[in-house]
């Protein structure tokens, strides 16, 4: 298949056997606040545009469309493995397994797993020793519930991953400067045991540093500091390039941050 458009990607370097990226807004078929590239079918975009965007991305990656997986996220901490038994399920059964899931992991080659965000923090993990990966959706609710810690533990238990060998990438998301929250959100982090001076700042309201929260979770789980990379892209400030629900509204497109093992 030859696509008429080419999705624009922000690429991450995990080595020659891995393709990792976040999609940008350019290079797609969606229009208006969904424009131009969006493959999330839960945010109100036109089905036809989503199908064409998805096909264009798979064409760029050189994979079949049934090898691209994105869950229906609900800001919880369920992690689903895309493994050999999962791949044998019917399309309907696979979709059922992807409901209410906020992280995917795999050690299967030839499949692309990813999560959808628009201000929330996407985190990719790669274990080069066991050639296994995880894509995590960490909004503030998932962050406060420590989904990144749970994902590292799940990879350790499933694949034998040594956290010190993990490589991590924090993708585009809302920054400390832009993430203004109410007292109730601040109190939720405080009650969950976070060291607030390290992750928050008081201005007119509280601001919370979600990338720092997730980085600290990685460090607490034993991921080496020099193995943690951050895109340092604020979606709120760069909403022309990356979707931001706070700037554009919830009925807008979503970034797809994904990892593909070859």
């Amino acid at each position: 298949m030859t696509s008429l458009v080419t999705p624009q990607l922000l690429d991450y370097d995990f080595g020659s056997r891995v393709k990792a990226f976040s999609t940008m807004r350019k290079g797609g078929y969606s229009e208006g606040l969904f424009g131009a590239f969006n493959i999330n079918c839960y945010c109100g975009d036109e089905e036809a545009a989503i199908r064409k965007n998805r096909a264009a991305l798979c064409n760029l990656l050189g994979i079949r469309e049934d090898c691209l997986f994105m869950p229906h996220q609900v800001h919880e901490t369920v992690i689903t493995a895309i493994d050999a038994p999962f791949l044998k399920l019917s399309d309907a059964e696979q979709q059922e397994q992807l409901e209410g899931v906020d992280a995917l992991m795999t050690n299967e080659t030839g499949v692309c797993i990813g999560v959808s965000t628009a201000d929330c923090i996407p985190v990719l993990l790669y274990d080069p020793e066991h050639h296994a990966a995880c894509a995590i959706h960490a909004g503030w609710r998932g962050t406060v519930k420590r989904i990144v810690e749970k994902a590292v533990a799940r990879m350790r238990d499933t694949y034998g991953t040594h956290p010190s060998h993990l490589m991590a990438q924090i993708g585009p998301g809302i920054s400390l400067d832009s993430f203004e929250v109410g007292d109730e959100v601040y109190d939720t982090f405080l009650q969950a045991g976070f060291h607030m001076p390290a992750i928050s700042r008081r201005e007119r309201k509280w601001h919370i540093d979600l990338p720092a929260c997730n980085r600290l979770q990685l460090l607490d789980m034993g991921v080496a500091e020099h193995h943690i990379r951050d895109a340092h892209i604020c979606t709120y400030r760069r909403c022309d390039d990356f979707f931001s629900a706070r700037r554009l509204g919830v009925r807008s497109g979503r970034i797809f941050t994904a990892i593909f093992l070859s």
Side-chain angles (χ1 to χ4, degrees):
M1 181 193 74
T2 301
S3 177
L4 296 178
V5 300
T6 301
Q8 302 300 297
L9 308 180
L10 172 67
D11 288 311
Y12 309 119
D13 183 11
F14 283 110
S16 60
R17 300 178 65 198
V18 180
K19 173 73 172 176
F21 60 90
S22 292
T23 58
M24 301 180 69
R25 292 188 64 181
K26 301 175 179 68
Y29 294 93
S30 297
E31 298 180 349
L33 297 178
F34 302 102
F37 186 87
N38 168 66
I39 61 168
N40 184 300
C41 60
Y42 306 107
C43 58
D45 196 4
E46 295 289 336
E47 269 188 45
I50 294 168
R51 283 197 304 270
K52 288 192 285 187
N53 287 336
R54 186 181 174 97
L57 179 59
C58 289
N59 182 61
L60 179 63
L61 297 175
I63 63 173
R64 300 192 316 269
E65 290 183 46
D66 61 357
C67 293
L68 181 70
F69 297 101
M70 179 180 69
H72 185 193
Q73 301 154 190
V74 293
H75 298 276
E76 291 293 339
T77 60
V78 175
I79 303 161
T80 290
I82 306 301
D83 53 17
F86 177 93
L87 294 173
K88 292 177 182 177
L89 299 174
S90 67
D91 289 347
E93 290 170 326
Q94 288 182 353
Q95 279 305 119
E96 185 177 352
Q97 293 290 318
L98 294 174
E99 284 291 324
V101 172
D102 281 87
L104 298 178
M105 65 181 195
T106 194
N107 63 349
E108 295 285 332
T109 58
V111 300
C112 181
I113 58 170
V115 290
S116 183
T117 61
D119 291 332
C120 294
I121 309 302
V123 181
L124 298 177
L125 304 177
Y126 175 58
D127 173 359
E129 183 180 13
H130 299 94
H131 201 45
C134 187
I136 306 159
H137 163 242
W140 79 259
R141 292 176 179 85
T143 297
V144 82
K145 294 170 185 174
R146 302 181 188 275
I147 187 171
V148 164
E149 290 186 11
K150 291 178 169 68
V152 174
R154 182 76 180 278
M155 290 186 72
R156 180 190 61 206
D157 296 343
T158 303
Y159 307 124
T161 296
H162 297 283
S164 62
H165 296 168
L166 273 175
M167 301 169 68
Q169 176 70 56
I170 298 170
I174 198 164
S175 66
L176 169 68
D177 290 341
S178 301
F179 190 45
E180 185 180 82
V181 302
D183 290 346
E184 72 283 356
V185 175
Y186 176 91
D187 290 341
T188 302
F189 277 86
L190 179 64
Q191 291 161 13
F194 285 84
H195 180 54
M196 300 312 293
I199 65 162
S200 65
R201 182 176 73 216
R202 181 75 179 188
E203 296 180 0
R204 186 175 65 88
K205 289 187 175 182
W206 284 108
H207 287 237
I208 290 181
D209 191 337
L210 290 181
C213 289
N214 287 287
R215 181 177 177 277
L216 290 170
Q217 288 183 45
L218 291 166
L219 291 171
D220 287 345
M221 290 300 290
V223 180
E225 186 169 9
H226 65 282
H227 284 172
I228 304 172
R229 298 172 182 168
D230 191 331
H232 293 296
I233 292 173
C234 176
T235 46
Y236 186 86
R237 291 185 170 184
R238 290 188 56 184
C239 64
D240 289 342
D241 296 318
F242 298 93
F243 292 109
S244 167
R246 283 202 170 198
R247 286 291 296 274
L248 305 172
V250 294
R251 286 184 62 83
S252 59
R254 300 292 186 269
I255 303 160
F256 182 58
T257 296
I259 188 163
F260 167 65
L261 304 179
S262 61

